Amino acid sequence: MSAFEQVLNPIADHTLTEFCSRLIVPGPSHSTLSLTGGEPLLHSDFLREWLPQVKGAFRIYLETNGVRADAMRDVRDLVDVISMDFKLPSATGLPPFWEEHKRFLSAAKGKTLFVKAVVTNDTSRDDVLTSARIIAGFDAAIPLIIQPAGGAFAPEPNMLIEFQNAALGILADVRVIPQVHKMLQVP
């Protein structure tokens, strides 16, 4: 017997609801539906239609790149917890997304939220401080999770402590947590 089922994509919303309902464990657990992989907010139209079907049975956890403020507004009242990425220019090599992150934080205001930032051996202290200041501009109690990259990009441990201490001068809750999916070799 196979543990997998193949379905056609795109999947119908009622079929997806049925699949998710199979995952509910009876008893005192709190079933959570995690929206992740790629960027869920690229599909905000679908989510706006589908999430009301499952919201009563699940807490809705959204992992997002934190740059799609309009899409966040569209689904804001349908999600319970938001895990928002901050893309640090010195870590990604991309242009800064500071303004997009600010708009996103504004769109997510009032929701349970935390921010993750992957740091590399190229990450600048200034990028970490800029992130902390942007977050504090909305709510200094929003946790910042500093996630060290692995392999050749891994920052030195003392760099992580420096980043954490610097950000703690601005925010109340700053944690260093590795990317567990990488440790477990989950793509």
Side-chain angles (χ1 to χ4, degrees):
M1 174 161 57
S2 173
F4 297 96
E5 288 182 53
Q6 289 189 350
V7 295
L8 296 176
N9 199 9
I11 191 169
D13 59 347
H14 65 278
T15 305
L16 184 56
T17 300
E18 177 190 327
F19 285 153
C20 291
S21 297
R22 293 184 204 170
L23 302 174
I24 297 173
V25 177
S29 69
H30 298 283
S31 298
T32 300
L33 183 64
S34 179
L35 305 174
T36 186
E39 175 49 53
L41 291 180
L42 287 172
H43 310 285
S44 61
D45 290 342
F46 174 80
L47 293 174
R48 193 174 51 251
E49 291 180 26
W50 176 64
L51 287 176
Q53 297 177 41
V54 294
K55 182 133 175 69
F58 294 95
R59 288 191 60 188
I60 309 298
Y61 173 85
L62 172 68
E63 277 200 36
T64 175
N65 63 19
V67 299
R68 301 184 174 284
D70 290 340
M72 183 67 244
R73 277 186 205 85
D74 287 346
V75 301
R76 182 191 176 286
D77 294 333
L78 300 171
V79 301
D80 299 299
V81 178
I82 302 165
S83 170
M84 174 190 180
D85 289 346
F86 259 42
K87 304 296 185 190
L88 307 182
S90 58
T92 64
L94 298 171
F97 289 98
W98 304 130
E99 293 305 315
E100 291 89 342
H101 291 326
K102 288 177 188 177
R103 286 192 293 274
F104 188 93
L105 283 166
S106 180
K109 189 174 173 118
K111 300 303 287 188
T112 300
L113 168 80
F114 62 93
V115 175
K116 298 181 304 180
V118 173
V119 296
T120 69
N121 53 11
D122 290 327
T123 300
S124 72
R125 184 176 189 269
D126 187 54
D127 278 358
V128 174
L129 288 173
T130 298
S131 298
R133 288 184 193 111
I134 290 170
I135 295 164
F138 287 88
D139 184 351
I142 293 173
L144 171 61
I145 311 300
I146 296 171
Q147 293 193 305
F153 300 105
E156 294 294 325
N158 61 332
M159 195 177 181
L160 297 171
I161 299 303
E162 179 187 336
F163 290 162
Q164 183 181 32
N165 286 335
L168 280 168
I170 299 169
L171 298 171
D173 188 354
V174 180
R175 306 171 195 194
V176 176
I177 301 175
Q179 294 178 293
V180 176
H181 69 285
K182 303 264 182 165
M183 294 170 54
L184 298 175
Q185 300 177 344
V186 175

